[in-house]
Amino acid sequence: ELITNVAHDLRTPLTSIIGYLELLSGPVKLNEEMQKKYLDITYKKSKRLQKLIEDLFGFTKLNYGKISMKVSKEDIVKLLSQMLEEFYPNFMEKNLAYELQSNVTAKVITADGNLLARLFDNLIGNAIKYGAEGKRILVKVMADTDEVQVSVTNYGYVIPAEELPLIFDKFYRVEQSRSTHTGGTGLGLAIVKHIVAVHHADIEVTSEEDKGTEITVTFHKENE
């Protein structure tokens, strides 16, 4: 099932990469502008292929317990601030505003830093893909003595109520007809679900016309 569902997604960018490289190395001499255009496309397709492969390996490792956690103390507010800065080119490309709100200036939890970064990389990336029409992404941290809640909200496409329970299933894509446009293997949120589980945290999603689509991860006191 894994191979069947992923094979098509891997083949599509690879076919494009081979096609453009054949044009670049073919007998017909291209002008400098066309060469740059084709190289840019090839580079973007290669990065997409890399992301698909990373998702595939990440999912299989998490799903079959082949990953060992390296737990440390992580400042979640600092981590999210850094990640949003790294996403700046993506926000600009989609003409999206973004904001980080927090009721604390710093909040240290016990977690695997790499997995935590992977978790929020997927959530923020997902918000950018489906929130383009909404023009805004909001990341919010609410911390108290018992738990830390981190929510990522986009104000674009609203997920139908009957689809909400399915979005963390592997290979599931919100609005299948948009999958070619938005890309992805359908593994991103399945990876998120596994990372949340290994941290003994909780995750929930809401999606309403006026309030946007909000995915909230709750870390409990034992994570502090």
Side-chain angles (χ1 to χ4, degrees):
E1 182 190 17
L2 188 68
I3 292 169
T4 301
N5 280 277
V6 174
H8 173 75
D9 294 300
L10 296 178
R11 190 190 307 118
T12 302
L14 185 59
T15 300
S16 293
I17 290 167
I18 292 169
Y20 282 109
L21 288 176
E22 285 176 345
L23 287 171
L24 285 163
S25 61
V28 179
K29 187 170 178 60
L30 303 171
N31 62 45
E32 190 175 337
E33 184 182 350
M34 291 302 293
Q35 285 183 15
K36 185 179 185 308
K37 180 182 177 181
Y38 290 169
L39 283 171
D40 286 344
I41 294 171
T42 303
Y43 176 73
K44 288 176 181 176
K45 296 287 184 182
S46 299
K47 294 295 288 184
R48 169 158 162 67
L49 187 61
Q50 181 185 41
K51 178 69 166 63
L52 293 171
I53 292 169
E54 285 174 354
D55 276 354
L56 176 59
F57 277 114
F59 176 78
T60 51
K61 284 181 180 178
L62 284 163
N63 195 49
Y64 299 107
K66 300 294 185 183
I67 196 163
S68 56
M69 289 181 66
K70 297 177 181 177
V71 174
S72 59
K73 296 291 185 181
E74 301 288 338
D75 183 343
I76 200 163
V77 179
K78 182 179 179 181
L79 173 68
L80 289 166
S81 179
Q82 290 173 341
M83 293 193 71
L84 287 171
E85 288 181 11
E86 291 170 7
F87 268 103
Y88 180 79
N90 305 81
F91 289 122
M92 293 302 100
E93 182 185 355
K94 300 292 185 181
N95 195 27
L96 280 165
Y98 66 96
E99 182 182 1
L100 173 61
Q101 295 180 359
S102 178
N103 68 336
V104 290
T105 56
K107 186 62 179 179
V108 174
I109 65 171
T110 301
D112 183 309
N114 289 329
L115 289 182
L116 210 59
R118 187 76 182 272
L119 164 66
F120 292 115
D121 182 82
N122 279 335
L123 288 184
I124 295 169
N126 194 69
I128 291 171
K129 281 194 291 187
Y130 290 104
E133 300 96 336
K135 302 306 176 191
R136 180 171 174 247
I137 303 294
L138 173 63
V139 178
K140 186 160 58 176
V141 180
M142 295 295 292
D144 58 28
T145 55
D146 294 322
E147 61 187 29
V148 182
Q149 286 192 335
V150 180
S151 61
V152 179
T153 306
N154 77 74
Y155 299 89
Y157 178 74
V158 176
I159 304 171
E162 66 273 14
E163 296 187 28
L164 286 175
L166 307 174
I167 70 166
F168 297 107
D169 293 350
K170 64 181 183 293
F171 310 129
Y172 183 78
R173 288 170 174 155
V174 173
E175 195 180 355
Q176 302 289 328
S177 62
R178 290 164 57 100
S179 61
T180 302
H181 171 68
T182 55
T185 56
L187 293 175
L189 290 181
I191 290 170
V192 163
K193 181 180 177 181
H194 280 291
I195 295 174
V196 167
V198 297
H199 284 89
H200 305 291
D202 296 309
I203 190 165
E204 61 179 345
V205 58
T206 60
S207 189
E208 299 176 42
E209 191 70 45
D210 298 329
K211 298 179 181 179
T213 298
E214 179 179 275
I215 298 181
T216 302
V217 179
T218 303
F219 298 94
H220 302 288
K221 192 170 184 178
E222 58 265 27
N223 292 108
E224 296 180 15

